[in-house]
Amino acid sequence: MAISIPDTLTADNSGKYIMSIRLRSDGLSFSGYCPSESESFFYRNMEFDRTKPYISSLKEFFFGHEFLTYSYKRTNLVYVTSQYTVVPEEVFTEKQKNDLLSFTFSAPENKCLHNLLAREAAEVVFGMDEEVYEFCSRSLINPSFVHHITPQLALWKQQSRTLIPRQMYVVLHRKMMDVVCFAQGRLLFVNTFEYDKPDDILYYILYVWKQVGMDQEKDQLHIYGGVSLRNSITTTLRNYIQYISPAEIPSDAYLLGAEVVQAPLDLIALSVCEL
């Protein structure tokens, strides 16, 4: 279960690095880079044994890797879950965040967190397993808990500002997909759907496309995910939508290092946008 890190990252110089740990249902991944050094970005991935409780595998991984206890310039804990809602800032209150999550989901996680979307004047309210939250809070030095959709919204808002056509961004995870629509930097729609088969992906994309009122000939669909699944989906979607392309990694992300292309989009966006 051991994973190596670059020799350049040590306990003595870890204060120069930004570390991001990404928790998902079947494992975790993490990335790190030194903002003052180009080509310093690295990315590692770990699959957990699904027959064991997640918290047990998480503790085993943490206890087996000393570098996680280092003191970093910043430590991000990215949590991947479909259990979130975006709430306008004018109606959001800290005291009511649990009620907002309970209203949206019938069985919300025990720990309720939120991220400010400063450019949207809104909050991402999301649920997290409380035992995982408590363990990470104890094990990491002053971590920032970030929902995976938060950095993506910041990135896409920036990308869409100068574009006249409306944009739909789709990120395909394992059994889960993010769907976000923007019009010249204005957020139109955001949700994460769970799916079992490719037909479900097609349904959600076309359903949201119609609900938002996007134009089949002018507006744009950008898809990020595994090449095989993405290509299969795109072949069918071209019967309905004219402009479809793979979601592009921001050009300035390549300055971080060659390994950036291996990382999930939310980790890339978090590094580029420096939230």
Side-chain angles (χ1 to χ4, degrees), residues 9 14-20 31-35 41-42 72-76 270-271 274-275:
L9 173 57
S14 61
K16 299 178 181 179
Y17 279 77
I18 294 175
M19 172 67 72
S20 296
S31 64
Y33 72 99
C34 180
F41 186 95
F42 68 90
Y72 292 98
K73 181 176 182 178
R74 186 165 73 244
T75 301
N76 301 310
L270 189 58
S271 300
E274 295 185 348
L275 299 178

Side-chain angles (χ1 to χ4, degrees), residues 29-84:
S29 58
F30 59 90
S31 64
Y33 72 99
C34 180
S36 61
E37 298 177 14
S38 61
E39 301 291 324
S40 62
F41 186 95
F42 68 90
Y43 173 75
R44 302 290 186 270
N45 182 58
M46 170 59 67
E47 302 280 340
F48 286 169
D49 182 350
R50 299 190 187 188
T51 64
K52 296 170 59 176
Y54 185 88
I55 188 64
S56 299
S57 296
L58 183 64
K59 290 179 178 179
E60 181 181 342
F61 184 83
F62 267 67
F63 295 149
H65 296 85
E66 184 182 5
F67 71 88
L68 291 174
T69 64
Y70 293 171
S71 177
Y72 292 98
K73 181 176 182 178
R74 186 165 73 244
T75 301
N76 301 310
L77 198 293
V78 180
Y79 197 63
V80 181
T81 175
S82 60
Q83 192 177 105
Y84 70 94

Side-chain angles (χ1 to χ4, degrees), residues 68-108:
L68 291 174
T69 64
Y70 293 171
S71 177
Y72 292 98
K73 181 176 182 178
R74 186 165 73 244
T75 301
N76 301 310
L77 198 293
V78 180
Y79 197 63
V80 181
T81 175
S82 60
Q83 192 177 105
Y84 70 94
T85 185
V86 177
V87 182
E89 202 169 19
E90 61 263 25
V91 299
F92 173 83
T93 64
E94 181 77 25
K95 293 181 179 180
Q96 292 182 322
K97 64 180 182 180
N98 292 79
D99 295 335
L100 291 168
L101 203 63
S102 297
F103 177 79
T104 309
F105 300 96
S106 58

Side-chain angles (χ1 to χ4, degrees), residues 251-271:
S251 57
D252 48 350
Y254 291 100
L255 299 175
L256 298 171
E259 290 188 35
V260 73
V261 297
Q262 303 173 25
L265 187 60
D266 43 71
L267 287 186
I268 297 172
L270 189 58
S271 300

